Amino acid sequence: MTTPNATEDSSGFADLGLRPELLRALIGLGYEEPTPIQREAIGPLIEGRDLLGQAATGTGKTAAFALPILQQMPGGGGDGRPLALVLVPTRELAVQVSEAIHRYGRDLGARVLPIYGGQPIGRQLRELQRGVDVVVATPGRALDHIGRRTLNLDALKIVVLDEADEMLDMGFADDIEAILQETPEERQTVLFSATMPPRINSIARQHLTDPVRIQIERETAAPGEAPRVRQSAYVVPRAHKPTALGRVLDVEAPEAAIVFCRTREEVDTLTETMNGRGYRAEALHGGMGQEQRDRVMARLRAGTADLLVATDVAARGLDIEQLTHVVNYNVPSAPESYVHRIGRVGRAGREGVAITLAEPREHRMLKTIERVTKSRITVEKVPTVADLRARRLELTRSALEESMLEDDLEHFRVVVDTLADEFDLVEIAMAAVKLAHEASGAAADEEEIPEVPLRPERDGRGRREPGGREERRGRGPSTGMTRVFIGAGRAGGVRPQDLVGAIANESRLSGRDIGAIEIADRFSLVEVPDHAADDVITSLRQTTIKGKKVTVRRERFESR
Ligand code: AMP
């Protein structure tokens, strides 16, 4: 076996020319090396090139544009006018991207502000006035601030369109166009999209200058290379991942497993959590010295540890013969990495198992991996508490069976005989089983993990089921907003832009005033400002949607 050399801290990032403050932040976050998209995008972006990137969530695309943005921060802090504007389709993503930029820009004192519809505008106004370096916004609200002259784009150096295909699907095309008109001509423009339909290409042709093109699903893994491995995935919300991992491991009962994490921090936290739950887990990451690593490997080989939690870098070159299971604690950032990881099992004719824990948003990367590896990843249900109990009882049963076949039980006879004077034999046996079961360390894990579906696929027309402009499915309306029920939906060919169009034509509202839109099969729900609800309802009742008269009323929302 070969042991990996301790690698220089985040040296891969230093090679990309990032400034020391950013390298420090990345070390702090435990990023050991750039993901493929970061390796390809960061250099050209620092040079000032425009970029057209095809990449889905989970590839590390946020850092791919965030780091070059922060690279441009002036030494003593900005003058308060934003140097970068990132447009994203949903409020959820606005918050997530802002947090990421804030983390990377820690040592630069970067001020990052998410702005999105539904949030009271007053706070946003105050923050904008105080000065902001990076604005992450949904298009509607960005345009709103531009119109009020509260968002000054004069000093803008870089504009990012993140998840551009989703923004178009949500009917933001005109808003994006209008925003770009307001930005300085010499700005740098970056467009990321998971898919590249013609509409995206036409935006790119119009607004990007000689862009670098990056596609992160290059099919470099040779077909037929994939080993004999049973591959499954579980869709789990982030908060439930440790529990889900424990449960899957309990049911799979691996001889030896390696769990891949993204960062050192994740390795350390997960190792601790799993040890706390009674697994014998060992951490392995790039920050550990050679001796420490050797000790960990020795424990795994000797069977005193059954779980190795590692980063890709740390696991490089590891060859562990007993390994039966590879677990991806997250969907890997590139298909190559997936292939490389699971290549560690399924050798010498033995069946290996690859397990991937995916968050609902990561379904695209999962599909890409399937396509590239030309293999199937079966999405399975996380074992329930009941499954788990059944499985644990099964383990206790086989342990007892083994004991009866192999052990010399004679000197326990006296215990059974004395108890048998007073109790029924079956009862005595049950009590013994109970003790054996509890002693086997079957820790109580009673947490129910909510079942979440993968995000819906696009339908035949290449359009994703819209999750609403601001992605608020299944919740109450935003404050200050009323939800209007419209009796026509997907089955009637209704798209978000039809509703926005009808409302904007028939009432005094503009597209920007409209909040979340949700389109179900037979009806739609649209959020409009409380004060305009009556007006919108009256006007829509007098018009047609997709050529038909439809029911329009306030939604009967059950309060939470
Ligand atoms: P994204 O595709 O931008 O949503 O990123 C997916 C996840 O990968 C986020 O949780 C990031 O914090 C993480 N991540 C991004 N780049 C790296 C890296 N180079 N090493 C480890 N984790 C990363």
Side-chain angles (χ1 to χ4, degrees):
M1 93 118 207
T2 41
T3 316
N5 298 320
T7 38
E8 284 274 298
D9 271 336
S10 298
S11 63
F13 285 105
D15 293 345
L16 296 174
L18 289 170
R19 60 202 280 184
E21 298 94 329
L22 293 174
L23 295 178
R24 272 205 302 277
L26 294 171
I27 291 168
L29 289 167
Y31 289 12
E32 296 193 325
E33 56 171 1
T35 66
I37 194 155
Q38 290 160 3
R39 204 170 299 128
E40 292 190 40
I42 291 176
L45 285 178
I46 289 180
E47 279 168 26
R49 298 281 304 269
D50 281 3
L51 185 141
L52 179 60
Q54 179 164 7
T57 297
T59 52
K61 68 180 162 62
T62 313
F65 64 75
L67 296 170
I69 288 177
L70 292 163
Q71 181 86 3
Q72 300 203 34
M73 278 282 293
D79 66 2
R81 291 178 299 166
L83 70 93
L85 172 66
V86 181
L87 293 175
V88 296
T90 63
R91 73 173 68 190
E92 179 192 57
L93 197 60
V95 170
Q96 210 174 303
V97 168
S98 299
E99 285 172 356
I101 301 180
H102 181 79
R103 277 198 302 274
Y104 304 139
R106 189 192 60 184
D107 286 3
L108 290 162
R111 293 162 296 178
V112 188
L113 180 69
I115 61 181
Y116 45 81
Q119 192 195 38
I121 205 157
R123 218 189 92 210
Q124 298 174 356
L125 290 176
R126 275 195 304 281
E127 295 284 333
L128 284 167
Q129 241 160 21
R130 217 175 291 154
V132 171
D133 303 303
V134 182
V135 170
V136 184
T138 51
R141 189 50 78 93
L143 202 51
D144 198 348
H145 279 287
I146 293 171
R148 292 166 179 247
R149 308 228 159 274
T150 45
L151 177 58
N152 181 343
L153 301 181
D154 295 348
L156 210 63
K157 291 194 173 144
I158 177 164
V159 174
V160 179
L161 308 178
D162 192 16
E163 306 208 348
D165 50 355
E166 293 221 22
M167 289 200 281
L168 293 192
D169 276 0
M170 291 179 183
F172 281 136
D174 293 347
D175 288 1
I176 292 173
E177 198 73 36
I179 293 167
L180 288 175
Q181 294 302 334
E182 298 293 325
T183 59
E185 192 135 340
E186 63 286 356
R187 58 146 214 273
Q188 189 179 1
T189 314
V190 181
L191 188 157
F192 276 112
S193 190
T195 57
M196 284 291 162
R199 285 189 308 162
I200 296 283
N201 274 313
S202 106
I203 291 189
R205 262 199 309 281
Q206 227 177 320
H207 296 286
L208 273 58
T209 312
D210 183 26
V212 181
R213 286 165 194 270
I214 295 178
Q215 192 177 1
I216 224 51
E217 45 174 20
R218 280 164 317 158
E219 316 217 347
T220 48
E225 220 177 50
R228 246 170 46 103
V229 176
R230 167 161 64 84
Q231 303 175 55
S232 23
Y234 297 87
V235 185
V236 193
R238 191 191 300 246
H240 294 280
K241 276 188 171 179
T243 309
L245 175 62
R247 241 176 245 183
V248 171
L249 289 175
D250 284 354
V251 172
E252 290 278 345
E255 228 168 278
I258 183 165
V259 181
F260 283 100
C261 291
R262 279 190 175 126
T263 66
R264 291 177 190 181
E265 277 60 37
E266 201 169 65
V267 165
D268 286 335
T269 321
L270 186 64
T271 307
E272 208 170 295
T273 312
M274 295 315 283
N275 280 315
R277 289 173 185 229
Y279 302 88
R280 297 174 308 168
E282 293 280 350
L284 191 73
H285 60 58
M288 293 167 55
Q290 192 57 52
E291 251 179 66
Q292 255 178 314
R293 289 156 175 270
D294 290 347
R295 269 203 301 276
V296 167
M297 294 312 299
R299 280 201 285 272
L300 196 75
R301 282 208 197 80
T304 46
D306 33 35
L307 209 58
L308 189 62
V309 185
T311 56
D312 277 308
V313 171
R316 204 163 280 162
L318 277 192
D319 191 2
I320 311 157
E321 221 187 293
Q322 308 82 322
L323 210 62
T324 51
H325 288 63
V326 168
V327 180
N328 299 301
Y329 195 60
N330 308 283
V331 178
S333 56
E336 292 82 351
S337 150
Y338 181 86
V339 171
H340 193 225
R341 286 177 181 182
I342 74 170
R344 291 199 168 78
V345 290
R347 298 200 179 152
R350 295 198 299 172
E351 195 207 36
V353 180
I355 290 163
T356 303
L357 300 189
E359 282 168 48
R361 288 183 64 81
E362 295 174 326
H363 77 283
R364 285 229 182 101
M365 198 59 199
L366 216 51
K367 289 275 164 233
T368 304
I369 290 172
E370 279 193 314
R371 199 167 58 243
V372 173
T373 59
K374 302 201 169 33
S375 56
R376 221 180 123 52
I377 303 175
T378 322
V379 176
E380 299 191 37
K381 285 207 172 108
V382 181
T384 61
V385 173
D387 293 339
L388 206 62
R389 287 201 194 120
R391 170 72 185 163
R392 284 183 179 148
L393 284 174
E394 173 58 29
L395 288 176
T396 301
R397 199 197 68 85
S398 36
L400 288 169
E401 192 173 5
E402 215 169 289
S403 165
M404 283 190 287
L405 290 175
E406 289 179 4
D407 292 349
D408 175 16
L409 301 172
E410 238 357 273
H411 65 281
F412 295 107
R413 184 177 292 281
V414 52
V415 179
V416 178
D417 282 347
T418 40
L419 284 169
D421 291 342
E422 223 177 313
F423 300 97
D424 175 49
L425 270 181
V426 172
E427 249 177 298
I428 299 169
M430 287 194 298
V433 172
K434 173 170 176 261
L435 289 181
H437 188 65
E438 285 169 0
S440 72
D445 163 16
E446 304 289 310
E447 190 184 337
E448 278 302 354
I449 300 176
E451 236 181 80
V452 275
L454 280 174
R455 286 268 294 272
E457 287 292 300
R458 280 151 186 275
D459 67 21
R461 297 192 308 277
R463 172 172 300 284
R464 186 169 329 105
E465 179 186 36
R469 278 156 70 108
E470 300 282 358
E471 186 96 12
R472 294 184 47 84
R473 183 174 294 273
R475 278 178 270 170
S478 318
T479 26
M481 302 293 268
T482 298
R483 264 210 296 227
V484 175
F485 172 99
I486 298 170
R490 210 170 17 247
V494 171
R495 300 163 308 162
Q497 51 267 51
D498 299 322
L499 300 174
V500 175
I503 294 170
N505 281 337
E506 301 299 327
S507 72
R508 275 168 302 192
L509 291 185
S510 79
R512 251 170 288 154
D513 301 317
I514 300 167
I517 296 179
E518 201 175 298
I519 299 188
D521 250 7
R522 315 215 152 265
F523 66 91
S524 309
L525 297 168
V526 182
E527 279 184 15
V528 298
D530 289 338
H531 62 83
D534 287 330
D535 180 29
V536 168
I537 292 170
T538 323
S539 339
L540 286 183
R541 281 182 180 160
Q542 284 156 15
T543 183
T544 57
I545 288 176
K546 288 263 149 192
K548 286 203 186 100
K549 280 255 175 219
V550 297
T551 314
V552 183
R553 56 168 167 77
R554 276 171 194 273
E555 186 206 11
R556 294 186 198 109
F557 184 72
E558 309 288 332
S559 67
R560 281 158 283 181

